[in-house]
Amino acid sequence: NAGVTQTPKFQVLKTGQSMTLQCAQDMNHNSMYWYRQDPGMGLRLIYYSASEGTTDKGEVPNGYNVSRLNKREFSLRLESAAPSQTSVYFCASSEDPGGWMAEAFFGQGTRLTVV
Amino acid sequence: DAKTTQPPSMDCAEGRAANLPCNHSTISGNEYVYWYRQIHSQGPQYIIHGLKNNETNEMASLIITEDRKSSTLILPHATLRDTAVYYCIVRVADQTGANNLFFGTGTRLTIIP
């Protein structure tokens, strides 16, 4: 049972480069999320997708775009990477069809460094 | 959005009960309290959640005060593997009903051998 799988696990980018972080879940969950975690900080929500075909901004969306490719996959794209985007990125999913009871499952993270 | 306040760090002796407090004085009547933990910068792990009543599962117990302004997560017999950052979160839903979990900085719990 894989749960939430993120690729890649590590990445180093030069300033201005672009890349896409991939996330897939095998739990048939409706909702998916992207968070970032800076050193010594809690997680901050970047974007989320309440259901297939919908995406919405979270707390810190600037510099990112997302695509909910299908129910399983939710990707995060950095069009022009900046050093301020150096962080650990976590993808999560939850069953939550709008109810209150579901818990979220997290991937193992992508450690991104922008130089 | 209801905010939570947690102590930045706590220690607990191995084998003893670890009691982690959380204040959420502005919580609204239909907001749940969730607890997650994060071990060694891995992805956060769900522990337990509750609304009004006390809850218990195989990992922990959650005690919520009658006025719902604070709660306590209890790990009954702490082990070294319980060393982690523990997050107390009040669930927020927007108009679409999305399950947005807003994390603060949590409590760093260290289990002492």
Side-chain angles (χ1 to χ4, degrees):
Chain A
N1 186 2
V4 178
T5 303
Q6 293 183 231
T7 56
K9 289 185 171 54
F10 301 92
Q11 183 71 49
V12 178
L13 289 179
K14 294 182 179 179
T15 298
Q17 286 185 319
S18 62
M19 78 161 295
T20 299
L21 281 63
Q22 306 287 353
C23 176
Q25 50 93 6
D26 62 2
M27 296 170 282
N28 201 37
H29 283 168
N30 289 303
S31 301
M32 298 185 73
Y33 318 85
W34 277 105
Y35 288 86
R36 62 176 288 175
Q37 185 173 33
D38 300 327
M41 304 285 288
L43 280 76
R44 292 184 293 171
L45 182 65
I46 305 171
Y47 270 94
Y48 64 94
S49 171
S51 60
E52 186 179 355
T54 68
T55 61
D56 287 284
K57 295 178 180 179
E59 184 184 358
V60 288
N62 291 343
Y64 305 95
N65 286 300
V66 290
S67 296
R68 184 74 183 267
L69 305 172
N70 47 55
K71 192 171 186 179
R72 290 187 65 248
E73 298 172 291
F74 188 38
S75 63
L76 178 72
R77 182 160 179 83
L78 287 70
E79 291 290 352
S80 179
S84 61
Q85 294 178 304
T86 293
S87 190
V88 180
Y89 291 84
F90 289 100
C91 177
S93 71
S94 69
E95 179 181 344
D96 190 33
W100 298 94
M101 302 301 293
E103 71 261 24
F105 292 81
F106 283 79
Q108 289 303 298
T110 295
R111 284 151 180 79
L112 175 67
T113 302
V114 183
V115 298
Chain B
D1 298 354
K3 297 186 184 299
T4 63
T5 304
Q6 299 177 253
S9 63
M10 293 180 63
D11 293 339
C12 179
E14 187 178 15
R16 304 295 295 270
N19 296 276
L20 290 88
C22 180
N23 288 320
H24 30 78
S25 59
T26 60
I27 192 170
S28 62
N30 58 358
E31 289 181 314
Y32 283 73
V33 179
Y34 282 75
W35 283 84
Y36 282 74
R37 72 180 183 183
Q38 189 173 24
I39 299 173
H40 266 291
S41 298
Q42 297 175 14
Q45 176 190 24
Y46 165 81
I47 301 173
I48 199 168
H49 71 277
L51 180 64
K52 294 181 181 178
N53 299 321
N54 299 338
E55 302 288 344
T56 296
N57 63 19
E58 65 278 5
M59 290 182 67
S61 295
L62 174 61
I63 309 298
I64 302 174
T65 58
E66 190 169 346
D67 63 7
R68 301 188 71 238
K69 292 185 177 182
S70 65
S71 60
T72 301
L73 177 73
I74 301 173
L75 308 178
H77 304 288
T79 71
L80 297 178
R81 290 176 294 180
D82 292 322
T83 293
V85 177
Y86 287 77
Y87 296 98
C88 170
I89 303 157
V90 172
R91 186 188 182 278
V92 174
D94 67 2
Q95 292 179 354
T96 66
N99 186 1
N100 302 326
L101 298 171
F102 288 91
F103 291 76
T105 53
T107 296
R108 182 172 296 278
L109 175 67
T110 302
I111 305 303
I112 308 299

